[in-house]
């Protein structure tokens, strides 16, 4: 089973993530930010992963450190769970509608971290989550997982719907990319990722 447990403690956050790629969407998430918990749950459920996330962060400052550092640890957990990336589909893409919102995610488990993020929000917060931290989460995740990640809002005006569609689309795209294809080597002309 492809699993990883990563802990990271700084003066700003104390985070433990346990990830099982071949799961059934069982989640136990507590970041102290209700809407962010909702997004991580949506990501895991739609990604077919089991995910435990426990965070103690400096929320008296704002949500930035908690959100970004969670992306770091979750990205590290994904990288560890994938090992040498042998025998996975590597690529995944998905369009996801949620009422008036439509989001797109395309990713490559390439070993080359990159984020292209095109999702303007029209509000400063969704619940207590500062919307400007959403891009920071995905940047940290992509960097520490070693993936190329494209996320884009295609349509939508309800910030809750738009953000949730992004996280669900990313979950579905990742689910496709980590599928085991039966081979043992990474899908690359170089022979390694």
């Amino acid at each position: 089973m492809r699993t990883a447990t990563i802990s990271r403690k700084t003066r700003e956050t104390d985070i433990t993530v346990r990830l099982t790629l071949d799961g059934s969407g069982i989640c136990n998430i507590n970041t102290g930010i209700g809407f962010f918990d909702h997004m991580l749950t949506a990501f895991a459920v739609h990604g077919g992963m089991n995910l435990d996330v426990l965070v103690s962060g400096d929320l008296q400052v704002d949500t930035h450190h908690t959100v970004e550092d969670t992306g770091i640890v979750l990205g590290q957990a994904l990288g560890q769970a994938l090992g040498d990336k042998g025998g996975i589909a590597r690529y995944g893409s998905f369009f996801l509608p949620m009422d008036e919102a439509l989001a797109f995610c395309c990713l490559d488990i390439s070993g080359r971290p990159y984020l292209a993020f095109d999702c303007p929000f029209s509000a400063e917060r969704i619940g207590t989550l500062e919307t400007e931290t959403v891009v920071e989460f995905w940047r940290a995740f992509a960097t520490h997982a070693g993936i190329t990640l494209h996320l884009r809002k295609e349509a939508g005006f309800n910030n809750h719907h738009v953000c949730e569609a992004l996280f669900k689309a990313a979950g579905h795209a990742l689910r496709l990319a980590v599928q085991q294809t039966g081979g043992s080597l990474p899908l690359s002309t170089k022979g390694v990722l």
Side-chain angles (χ1 to χ4, degrees), residues 56-73:
S56 176
D58 59 354
L59 295 178
Q60 74 281 3
V61 175
D62 61 16
T63 64
H64 185 102
H65 299 139
T66 295
V67 174
E68 182 179 34
D69 290 6
T70 299
I72 290 170
V73 180

Side-chain angles (χ1 to χ4, degrees), residues 1 22-23 25 49 52 54 58-59 61 68 73 84 93 96 105-106 119 128 132 135 148 150 160 162-163 167 172:
M1 189 171 278
D22 308 302
M49 301 171 269
D52 294 332
L54 180 60
D58 59 354
L59 295 178
V61 175
E68 182 179 34
V73 180
D84 70 357
S93 62
L96 192 130
C105 177
C106 185
C119 182
T128 58
E132 68 180 9
V135 67
T148 298
H150 290 252
H160 183 128
V162 169
C163 193
F167 275 79
H172 278 281

Side-chain angles (χ1 to χ4, degrees), residues 26-191:
I26 298 170
C27 298
N28 180 22
I29 298 172
N30 186 354
T31 66
I33 308 166
F35 186 75
F36 188 42
D37 294 353
H38 181 45
M39 293 303 94
L40 293 174
T41 300
F43 174 65
V45 168
H46 286 264
M49 301 171 269
N50 293 348
L51 182 60
D52 294 332
V53 179
L54 180 60
V55 183
S56 176
D58 59 354
L59 295 178
Q60 74 281 3
V61 175
D62 61 16
T63 64
H64 185 102
H65 299 139
T66 295
V67 174
E68 182 179 34
D69 290 6
T70 299
I72 290 170
V73 180
L74 184 56
Q76 290 171 342
L78 176 61
Q80 186 177 97
L82 285 171
D84 70 357
K85 304 175 192 78
I88 62 169
R90 180 177 164 180
Y91 298 97
S93 62
F94 207 84
F95 281 96
L96 192 130
M98 184 169 179
D99 298 341
E100 89 298 342
L102 178 64
F104 174 69
C105 177
C106 185
L107 61 87
D108 175 11
I109 301 174
S110 60
R112 294 185 306 276
Y114 183 80
L115 174 67
F117 186 87
D118 183 8
C119 182
F121 291 103
S122 62
E124 290 182 12
R125 294 179 184 274
I126 308 170
T128 58
L129 176 72
E130 294 151 321
T131 52
E132 68 180 9
T133 65
V134 175
V135 67
E136 301 304 330
F137 168 79
W138 288 115
R139 182 179 294 114
F141 176 74
T143 299
H144 291 271
I147 63 175
T148 298
L149 178 61
H150 290 252
L151 287 164
R152 188 170 67 232
K153 169 184 150 182
E154 298 290 332
F157 54 82
N158 181 299
N159 291 289
H160 183 128
H161 293 165
V162 169
C163 193
E164 190 166 343
L166 278 180
F167 275 79
K168 288 178 177 178
H172 278 281
L174 185 61
R175 184 181 212 160
L176 294 170
V178 302
Q179 281 183 347
Q180 295 173 309
T181 60
S184 60
L185 297 176
L187 182 60
S188 171
T189 55
K190 300 177 183 70

